[in-house]
Amino acid sequence: MPNSKSCHLDPLKILDHVRPTPLKDNGLTDEQKIEKIAGNFKEIMETLGLDLTNDSLADSPKRVAKMYVQEYFKGLKPENFPRITLIENEMLYDQMVVVRDIKVLSCCEHHFVTIHGVAHVAYIPSHGVVGLSKINRITDYFSRRPQVQERLTKQIADCLAYILKTEDVAVFIKAKHYCVISRGVQDINSETITSDLRGAFKNNAVTRAEFLQICL
């Protein structure tokens, strides 16, 4: 710890305390992943009967590959986890801190189509606090993976509980799933709500009601 006021946290230690996404290390660099995905996606497009000699389609395999590795699924790499500094709670603040309407943009791991919505995240500080933008960045990091919404909700809560050394953490996500909107039942109106309430947010009826009123 550099001083008594703040300390930088090791991303790998943080991620060790978060329930995992099913992963298997294939040893490929980002460049190798892009090349391999582009080749495979080219085959998919050709199998669908698309003419890749057309100017509009010719570069699509590479575009999709770069999008997957560098944007959509950048949350699969520990190196992309946001830099987190835990700051001493000098003011002894002991009420809930809520960051609401955080953008959630993810991808359904079953059909690889978009999930989008909002997250409301709260905690009650114990010994430390983090910069408010870090909560947005943590949410975005875990969103940028092939996901199911239940796991995403738990991963954000696991992460914050470990970083902040408190069980008083709450995560509430409301999202639309394009695997429901664009295929299958094709329901454009339904939304999926998940929550993970811990500590006082789960056990204290007043705290729970206050947080859920903010969410709803």
Side-chain angles (χ1 to χ4, degrees):
M1 182 179 296
N3 56 58
S4 62
K5 302 300 182 184
S6 66
C7 66
H8 301 305
L9 303 179
D10 182 347
L12 293 180
K13 288 184 178 179
I14 295 171
L15 293 173
D16 279 344
H17 289 81
V18 174
R19 66 203 63 209
T21 295
L23 291 171
K24 187 176 181 180
D25 185 7
N26 55 22
L28 297 177
T29 65
D30 282 359
E31 290 74 19
Q32 290 170 327
K33 290 176 183 177
I34 289 170
E35 182 179 356
K36 191 174 182 68
I37 292 169
N40 289 332
F41 200 78
K42 178 176 182 289
E43 184 175 346
I44 290 172
M45 293 178 67
E46 290 173 339
T47 301
L48 290 171
L50 294 168
D51 179 7
L52 271 76
T53 64
N54 182 278
D55 287 344
S56 180
L57 298 175
D59 293 329
S60 293
K62 189 68 172 285
R63 291 191 196 102
V64 170
K66 291 175 70 175
M67 176 184 70
Y68 275 3
V69 173
Q70 298 174 354
E71 298 174 297
Y72 260 33
F73 303 133
K74 64 183 180 181
L76 292 172
K77 291 188 65 176
E79 300 93 314
N80 291 330
F81 188 81
R83 180 178 172 86
I84 302 294
T85 301
L86 187 65
I87 305 165
E88 184 180 341
N89 184 15
E90 292 183 290
M91 294 179 290
L92 303 179
Y93 187 80
D94 61 357
Q95 304 298 309
M96 72 171 69
V97 176
V98 183
V99 182
R100 59 165 294 157
D101 296 324
I102 300 169
K103 174 203 69 182
V104 170
L105 183 62
S106 193
C107 180
C108 164
E109 69 182 37
H110 298 143
H111 296 95
F112 274 61
V113 290
T114 300
I115 300 169
H116 80 87
V118 295
H120 311 306
V121 179
Y123 72 97
I124 299 173
S126 178
H127 301 293
V129 298
V130 293
L132 295 179
S133 70
K134 301 303 182 183
I135 295 176
N136 301 62
R137 293 181 187 279
I138 287 168
T139 300
D140 185 64
Y141 175 80
F142 289 111
S143 297
R144 298 295 181 155
R145 299 176 170 193
Q147 278 288 15
V148 293
Q149 188 172 323
E150 296 89 338
R151 184 196 301 126
L152 172 60
T153 306
K154 290 286 188 182
Q155 286 178 333
I156 297 167
D158 287 345
C159 182
L160 288 173
Y162 175 75
I163 289 172
L164 296 163
K165 301 294 184 279
T166 178
E167 278 300 306
D168 298 328
V169 168
V171 179
F172 180 103
I173 297 177
K174 179 170 66 173
K176 287 183 175 288
H177 292 241
Y178 276 74
C179 57
V180 175
I181 292 172
S182 62
R183 56 160 302 281
V185 71
Q186 296 185 17
D187 184 342
I188 65 171
N189 296 313
S190 66
E191 295 175 315
T192 299
I193 292 175
T194 52
S195 64
D196 189 345
L197 309 181
R198 305 185 184 187
F201 291 97
K202 181 177 183 179
N203 302 317
N204 184 307
V206 174
T207 303
R208 180 187 181 100
E210 181 182 350
F211 174 68
L212 292 177
Q213 184 177 23
I214 290 171
C215 295
L216 299 171

